[in-house]
Amino acid sequence: MSNDAEAAQGSIEDQGPVEISPELDRQIENKRDDLLEKFELHDGFAPEVIEEAEERIEDVQAEIQDEVDERADMRPLPTWTTDPVDAQDFDDAVSVLERDEEYVVWVHIADVTHYVHPGSKMWDAAMDRGNTIYLPGYTIHMLPPVLAETVCSLVPNEDRLAHTVEMHLDKEDLSYRNIEIYKSVIHSDERLTYKETEARLDDEDAPLHDEISLVFELADQMHEQRKEEGSLVLNPRRDRAHTIIEECMLKANKAVTHELMWDRGVEAVYRVHPQPSPDEWDDALREIQELDGVSIPGDSWDDPRKAVNATLEQAPERQLGKIQWAVMKVMPRARYMNDPFGGHHALNFEIYGHFTSPIRRMSDLVNHWIVYQNDVPENLVELCDHASDQQKAGESAEREYRNFLEEIGLDPDAVNNRGVEVVEPDE
């Protein structure tokens, strides 16, 4: 999903679906089928996978109560989720606390591996699919929705099983003073959209205002810190709600990767992003410098990532897309690898991996299993390669689908954000 599309999702509550004719609906469905075949993507699930998923959602609350004694009970902690308005599942929630010497941020991730683990049919299906693919207005799921949207979704006002990343952050520079990762039971107080989160920040009397304000202050500081350290920020004008989620998830993913690599020294699914060659960076910066109304600040040329960040902050709105495209053209594709060395160039992280989205990414699901069991799947290298290939296929399918929607006169972002409704034409 593009950053622009994602940002738009926070402000669409009041808009109705895009209306299309039955004929257009058939054309769109045929195009989807063609893309699924072309990129060898799977949509529906085999009956035995659905059957297994349905079995795992029986007696949910009783099972959760049985787990309470074995887990950290985080239910008294104020906790909430923040997602696009049309999200069907909520796989991460946040809690925050300020203490005398430190801040504590908890990122609670749906404990998918409690239900989906090696040897299960759902695990095999997830490994095969690699990730959830979000076409505008249509989702191709990695896990059966009957599971992902129920017991694995951190819905409000219900107890849920989670995998919690607890981060104790230094008050001066927000570095990790301590990291703990453990199984938990949580109770989300609210499900907020991005737009609602913005409103809570502005209303001092609103529920969770203090907690959301505190976590935004931390996220904003994390964001500025990343930029200073050379992390590429292609979308510098995100709203506060998106900044909270992006920075908290990056901080949690980085914490887990730190634990896996430096504390345990184990193989896992790491995210490795090579850097463009110096010549490629020069080409991109020259292309940016030649854009009308755009100037790269002279003191930032030494590090291309900082040069791009500084330029994006000052550039006119109409040129943002062209600047982003100039950079994307020279960026090598990030891949999943079984060791992290080589680092993540765009983020400027020495090591990095995924943990916060096990409902929609196989990489995160495997890492949950490794963190929990300290057990690395034998076919890890093959899984990493397959996840990379599936991500590429999904992105290609999404790009072609978006282009097709434009060709038939539909705005892909409007379709994505608002959905479609088939309407019979007037007689």
Side-chain angles (χ1 to χ4, degrees):
M1 185 187 300
S2 74
N3 285 339
D4 291 342
E6 197 174 328
Q9 286 193 324
S11 56
I12 58 164
E13 278 93 326
D14 303 325
Q15 297 175 315
V18 176
E19 295 185 352
I20 61 172
S21 68
E23 173 56 30
L24 215 50
D25 187 45
R26 277 190 292 276
Q27 287 183 41
I28 294 170
E29 189 175 343
N30 290 339
K31 182 63 177 181
R32 264 202 315 268
D33 291 343
D34 291 346
L35 289 174
L36 288 169
E37 188 174 340
K38 177 178 178 178
F39 294 105
E40 299 180 0
L41 303 172
H42 306 301
D43 193 359
F45 290 88
E48 59 268 24
V49 178
I50 297 294
E51 186 179 339
E52 185 182 78
E54 288 174 342
E55 285 173 3
R56 290 305 284 119
I57 62 171
E58 293 173 6
D59 299 324
V60 172
Q61 289 307 321
E63 184 175 357
I64 292 173
Q65 294 316 308
D66 288 344
E67 285 281 315
V68 169
D69 292 341
E70 308 297 320
R71 295 172 175 250
D73 187 353
M74 311 302 286
R75 291 176 296 181
L77 200 60
T79 301
W80 70 96
T81 61
T82 307
D83 291 277
V85 65
D86 60 347
Q88 260 110 55
D89 51 62
F90 318 121
D91 55 4
D92 51 74
V94 175
S95 306
V96 66
L97 201 61
E98 180 175 5
R99 293 183 177 152
D100 289 343
E101 300 291 319
E102 64 183 10
Y103 300 108
V104 188
V105 177
W106 292 266
V107 175
H108 314 282
I109 321 293
D111 186 7
V112 180
T113 53
H114 181 80
Y115 304 97
V116 181
H117 42 74
S120 69
K121 294 178 175 61
M122 287 188 288
W123 177 274
D124 292 342
M127 296 303 108
D128 183 45
R129 287 159 188 254
N131 52 278
T132 293
I133 297 165
Y134 298 97
L135 303 177
Y138 192 86
T139 303
I140 301 166
H141 296 273
M142 183 182 86
L143 292 170
V146 69
L147 181 98
E149 295 172 10
T150 57
V151 297
C152 291
S153 185
L154 306 181
V155 295
N157 305 315
E158 286 191 37
D159 294 349
R160 283 289 182 266
L161 301 180
H163 216 148
T164 291
V165 182
E166 179 178 322
M167 297 172 283
H168 296 250
L169 306 178
D170 187 90
K171 277 204 165 175
E172 289 299 310
D173 61 3
L174 300 189
S175 59
Y176 303 109
R177 298 181 69 184
N178 188 34
I179 297 165
E180 295 178 44
I181 310 166
Y182 48 83
K183 295 290 188 96
S184 61
V185 179
I186 71 156
H187 189 96
S188 174
D189 298 293
E190 294 208 55
R191 172 273 198 267
L192 299 176
T193 65
Y194 292 120
K195 183 179 177 182
E196 288 167 345
T197 300
E198 291 288 327
R200 295 295 176 93
L201 284 164
D202 291 333
D203 182 357
E204 292 182 8
D205 297 323
L208 295 173
H209 167 82
D210 292 348
E211 289 86 353
I212 296 172
S213 298
L214 174 59
V215 86
F216 171 67
E217 286 173 27
L218 302 183
D220 195 41
Q221 197 177 325
M222 290 176 202
H223 185 73
E224 292 306 314
Q225 214 172 48
R226 277 203 303 117
K227 282 197 301 189
E228 283 170 21
E229 292 170 358
S231 193
L232 183 65
V233 179
L234 279 182
N235 190 357
R237 304 177 193 186
R238 306 204 86 170
D239 59 36
R240 293 170 296 176
H242 278 87
T243 297
I244 291 170
I245 296 306
E246 182 172 40
E247 297 302 330
C248 286
M249 298 309 132
L250 283 172
K251 198 79 170 174
N253 283 332
K254 198 175 175 184
V256 172
T257 314
H258 186 285
E259 159 81 14
L260 286 170
M261 192 66 244
W262 298 129
D263 295 352
R264 299 195 197 180
V266 298
E267 289 185 294
V269 184
Y270 295 100
R271 189 77 170 148
V272 176
H273 187 248
Q275 58 185 321
S277 69
D279 286 347
E280 287 172 324
W281 261 129
D282 285 347
D283 289 344
L285 292 179
R286 262 198 308 275
E287 185 176 330
I288 290 167
Q289 180 81 346
E290 289 168 5
L291 291 170
D292 180 47
V294 174
S295 168
I296 298 176
D299 60 352
S300 67
W301 278 85
D302 289 348
D303 184 334
R305 291 165 298 195
K306 290 185 177 180
V308 171
N309 290 348
T311 306
L312 281 165
E313 288 188 356
Q314 298 176 11
E317 193 81 26
R318 61 190 165 82
Q319 298 290 23
L320 292 188
K322 290 176 184 170
I323 297 170
Q324 291 163 344
W325 178 235
V327 175
M328 295 306 292
K329 279 192 297 189
V330 300
M331 276 288 170
R333 176 175 288 277
R335 288 190 65 81
Y336 293 109
M337 310 281 286
N338 63 313
D339 77 57
F341 300 111
H344 196 293
H345 174 69
L347 290 171
N348 196 27
F349 289 171
E350 189 177 359
I351 55 174
Y352 187 64
H354 286 154
F355 192 77
T356 54
S357 296
I359 292 175
R360 64 183 179 88
R361 286 190 305 229
M362 174 249 272
S363 56
D364 307 52
L365 187 60
V366 174
N367 284 341
H368 273 246
W369 184 254
I370 293 171
V371 167
Y372 172 47
Q373 292 285 357
N374 227 34
D375 175 34
V376 178
E378 288 179 12
N379 61 338
L380 184 64
V381 173
E382 183 187 319
L383 289 176
C384 288
D385 289 344
H386 185 61
S388 300
D389 292 344
Q390 289 300 97
Q391 183 181 32
K392 183 179 179 181
E395 288 172 359
S396 299
E398 183 192 352
R399 188 165 54 248
E400 285 197 28
Y401 192 69
R402 292 178 74 88
N403 289 341
F404 172 75
L405 291 178
E406 287 176 352
E407 286 167 14
I408 60 173
L410 294 175
D411 176 353
D413 289 337
V415 170
N416 191 55
N417 298 335
R418 293 158 50 193
V420 297
E421 182 180 353
V422 180
V423 178
E424 294 286 347
D426 293 334
E427 292 293 331

